[in-house]
Amino acid sequence: MAHTGNTRKTTSMRRTLRREAPSTIGLLADEQDFAAMRHYRTFTFDDHTVYLQQVEGLLKILAAQGMHTTVALFDPEEYAEYCAESGLAPDAPASRSRFTAEVAAAGATVAYTGQPIDTLIPLLVSRAVRQATWEYATVLLADLGECADCGQDIGRAAFDRASHLLMRTLETAGPGTHHLVCSTPTENEQLLAVLHTERGATGPARLESGEGAEFVTVLAVGVALESHGGLVLRTSNPGTPDRVHGWRLTRGSLVPLTAGEVFSAYCTDADTGDPVSPESGVEYCAGFDIGADEPEAHR
């Protein structure tokens, strides 16, 4: 009887530890990635829709057990490269599990809080795109080196300048819920960053640190490369129409657009160039002077 009691106690302790051990699931978000994994004998799913249903079912079970679960985007090409570099057999569940853990540690993840799989997938893909953009922009800034004239680190100076521009924009915008979009062209990519923030009647705007760093990094690329980027601010306040303002990034400064330019930019399809109907309850306004100092002479 004592032995049985000890066994039950051990089992109970293990269950407690299991509930406190976080879980990560690597998700094949689209059918193309799913098809690539079907080449492995040990990957036994043959229908992407059924696979997603099974993943959602597993997430619900783990949540019902009180376990914290995150979902990571599983990329078959990156997985194959990882196995080759690590000397792992790609056609093995243990290799997939190890890769998923590595991705979760360094990549984009979404915590499962009961959201439907159809909601979870776009959120996960969006987060992965954001992280890839931030990583690309960070590497680009780091590779710029030092200014030949003054010896200053170009990437660091551009980041500081971009931080100053963002803070001045939010300070001048006043209270409200602010949605900002920064677009910066580079030689190989069109970088896009989005920032959501709120500012009360008093005090500074409240920024989520990760999103803020991503936004500033993309803006810093435009500052450093002196590219023709742009910034759009949409402000919402209860009982009033949303206001949309815009600026052109020119040589490290945000130059206000006219109301007509803001309207044209907001009401034109970026892919086709066709006009898009303006939103009701939205005022398209000229960009305002954010009061930022001019860039330093070496810029």
Side-chain angles (χ1 to χ4, degrees), residues 131-166:
Q131 171 132 350
T133 299
W134 176 74
E135 290 175 350
Y136 176 82
T138 299
V139 170
L140 195 156
L141 288 174
D143 288 345
L144 291 176
E146 297 180 349
C147 174
D149 296 328
C150 68
Q152 189 174 22
D153 185 288
I154 297 174
R156 168 51 59 184
F159 190 91
D160 292 343
R161 175 64 182 169
S163 299
H164 176 64
L165 292 174
L166 174 60

Side-chain angles (χ1 to χ4, degrees), residues 3-225:
H3 176 72
T4 301
N6 289 335
T7 301
R8 288 175 178 172
K9 183 177 180 180
T10 299
T11 301
S12 176
M13 287 189 295
R14 287 175 179 170
R15 286 175 178 170
T16 300
L17 287 173
R18 181 73 184 104
R19 284 196 300 269
E20 296 184 8
S23 294
T24 304
I25 293 177
L27 179 66
L28 295 160
D30 60 49
E31 293 191 16
Q32 184 176 352
D33 287 345
F34 179 82
M37 292 304 295
R38 289 192 61 199
H39 297 149
Y40 298 117
R41 179 185 56 82
T42 56
F43 186 80
T44 57
F45 291 95
D46 57 11
D47 183 277
H48 188 236
T49 300
V50 173
Y51 161 79
L52 292 179
Q53 291 171 348
Q54 292 297 316
V55 169
E56 185 169 25
L58 176 58
L59 288 169
K60 290 179 179 179
I61 290 173
L62 294 173
Q65 294 174 349
M67 296 179 60
H68 175 74
T69 306
T70 56
V71 183
L73 204 61
F74 195 104
D75 186 305
E77 290 186 7
E78 292 183 3
Y79 172 64
E81 293 174 0
Y82 172 80
C83 289
E85 293 172 357
S86 305
L88 298 175
D91 197 357
S95 298
R96 294 194 288 273
S97 177
R98 183 170 167 180
F99 172 73
T100 298
E102 293 280 351
V103 171
T109 61
V110 172
Y112 177 70
T113 57
Q115 61 269 61
I117 196 75
D118 290 343
T119 301
L120 187 66
I121 289 176
L123 183 60
L124 182 59
V125 171
S126 174
R127 191 156 297 178
V129 169
R130 277 177 45 196
Q131 171 132 350
T133 299
W134 176 74
E135 290 175 350
Y136 176 82
T138 299
V139 170
L140 195 156
L141 288 174
D143 288 345
L144 291 176
E146 297 180 349
C147 174
D149 296 328
C150 68
Q152 189 174 22
D153 185 288
I154 297 174
R156 168 51 59 184
F159 190 91
D160 292 343
R161 175 64 182 169
S163 299
H164 176 64
L165 292 174
L166 174 60
M167 290 300 101
R168 286 300 306 151
T169 300
L170 292 175
E171 287 171 8
T172 312
T177 299
H178 302 300
H179 175 86
L180 299 96
V181 178
C182 176
S183 177
T184 300
T186 69
E187 184 178 351
N188 300 314
E189 300 282 348
Q190 179 75 27
L191 303 183
L192 195 70
V194 177
L195 179 65
H196 302 272
T197 182
E198 292 185 6
R199 184 182 176 193
T202 60
R206 295 186 294 273
L207 292 178
E208 193 277 316
S209 58
E211 194 177 67
E214 293 166 8
F215 189 91
V216 169
T217 303
V218 170
L219 181 57
V221 169
V223 172
L225 300 182

